[in-house]
Amino acid sequence: MRLIGLAPTGSLVLNAPQSVSVISGQGSIDLRDAAGALGGQLRITAGRIYAATDAAIANVNAANSIDARTLRLGNNDGVVIDDGLLRAGVIQLSGPNGVYIQNTGASTAFDLRRGFTANRIDISANAETAIVINGRLTNPAVPGGFFTGISTISRLGINESAGGLLGGFDRLSTANGCFILNIAGCSGGSDLMPNGDRLTGSLDPLAGYRSASAPLGLLTFQTFIRNGYPPLIDEPITGVGNEDLWTVGSPTDDSAKDDSPKDDRDPK
């Protein structure tokens, strides 16, 4: 869908109680002003908002973690669209149960991810809202330039605050493959290792990034010495104990002496 000649206040509004899906490879939304530049306002309100392939949407719904959704939406399923699936002067998204925009760039590298292109993007969320998006914002200081990768994240509008507010959405939410709440933990390259693991995965964005292929152990095992062993003897034996406790037949017992008859005759 493409609308041309929109004034800054001109808008396309989509509302649905359950979900709104823009299917990658089948369509996109493109709003332009009279000069052909990005224009107007795209407003989408739904329980969940998707801009992805049918396969990716199914995988996102089946995934049980935001990490898994971030990995899945980082791949473009062969649909490469540099401008992304959502294009407008201002994009406003309200999806309390999830906002998901798949990467349509040529690579999973942070700076090469695409999905949306806008002058500004605003997302309304609550503490349970999962946000996994990919895209870029225009750079007004550079004609034809864009903020991409990590530089996009600090310019996201979430709950009317640039970069979002702590506790305003699910804290494992990501943009362009990086945790929104910990952009300092992102490196500059691809976030996918050759084996498919995330290079910068983490259980908690506030704790910093670490490799998902080298998880920290939760249990530490250590060998302990059992109690009850007798102490070592470090003094010499200087006696034979209490004679009252000797048993019959012991070498020092008088009852063990030879009681056989003796010849009292004079040996002479």
Side-chain angles (χ1 to χ4, degrees):
M1 176 184 294
R2 188 174 192 186
L3 299 179
I4 302 176
L6 292 173
T9 57
S11 60
L12 172 64
V13 180
L14 302 175
N15 295 321
Q18 295 185 352
S19 67
V20 168
S21 300
V22 178
I23 307 301
S24 180
Q26 300 182 27
S28 61
I29 298 177
D30 191 354
L31 307 185
R32 301 282 172 170
D33 62 16
L38 293 171
Q41 301 177 17
L42 172 60
R43 301 176 183 175
I44 303 178
T45 300
R48 282 192 175 195
I49 299 173
Y50 305 94
T53 63
D54 278 327
I57 292 173
N59 294 150
V60 165
N61 290 336
N64 58 7
S65 70
I66 294 185
D67 261 351
R69 293 166 185 164
T70 295
L71 278 173
R72 181 62 184 90
L73 294 177
N75 297 312
N76 61 25
D77 293 344
V79 182
V80 179
I81 306 174
D82 198 52
D83 287 339
L85 299 172
L86 306 179
R87 305 183 289 275
V90 177
I91 297 176
Q92 297 178 333
L93 305 175
S94 178
N97 298 324
V99 177
Y100 303 105
I101 302 177
Q102 186 176 15
N103 174 28
T104 61
S107 169
T108 60
F110 302 135
D111 289 341
L112 298 181
R113 292 189 177 217
R114 303 291 185 263
F116 66 83
T117 299
N119 300 328
R120 190 176 88 238
I121 184 168
D122 297 317
I123 300 175
S124 296
N126 58 49
E128 304 299 323
T129 303
I131 301 172
V132 180
I133 59 176
N134 296 275
R136 64 182 182 176
L137 295 171
T138 58
N139 183 351
V142 180
F146 298 92
F147 295 108
T148 62
I150 298 172
S151 63
T152 302
I153 300 176
S154 61
R155 294 171 173 82
L156 297 175
I158 303 178
N159 296 330
E160 301 181 353
S161 174
L165 294 173
L166 181 62
F169 52 91
D170 191 307
R171 67 181 186 176
L172 298 182
S173 295
T174 62
N176 290 332
C178 299
F179 286 123
I180 295 173
L181 294 178
N182 188 11
I183 59 177
C186 265
S187 60
S190 170
D191 74 333
L192 294 182
M193 299 174 68
N195 64 356
D197 289 337
R198 291 186 65 189
L199 180 62
T200 54
S202 175
L203 296 178
D204 187 342
L206 303 183
Y209 280 57
R210 59 177 177 266
S211 171
S213 61
L216 296 180
L218 298 179
L219 298 177
T220 301
F221 294 94
Q222 183 175 353
T223 302
F224 293 93
I225 300 176
R226 292 177 53 192
N227 293 326
Y229 286 104
L232 295 176
I233 299 175
D234 56 4
E235 296 292 339
I237 299 176
T238 57
V240 293
N242 188 341
E243 296 181 0
D244 293 336
L245 300 179
W246 290 350
T247 60
V248 177
S250 61
T252 56
D253 188 352
D254 290 339
S255 63
K257 296 180 180 179
D258 185 7
D259 294 330
S260 60
K262 296 182 174 56
D263 187 354
D264 295 331
R265 292 178 298 177
D266 188 345
K268 296 180 180 179

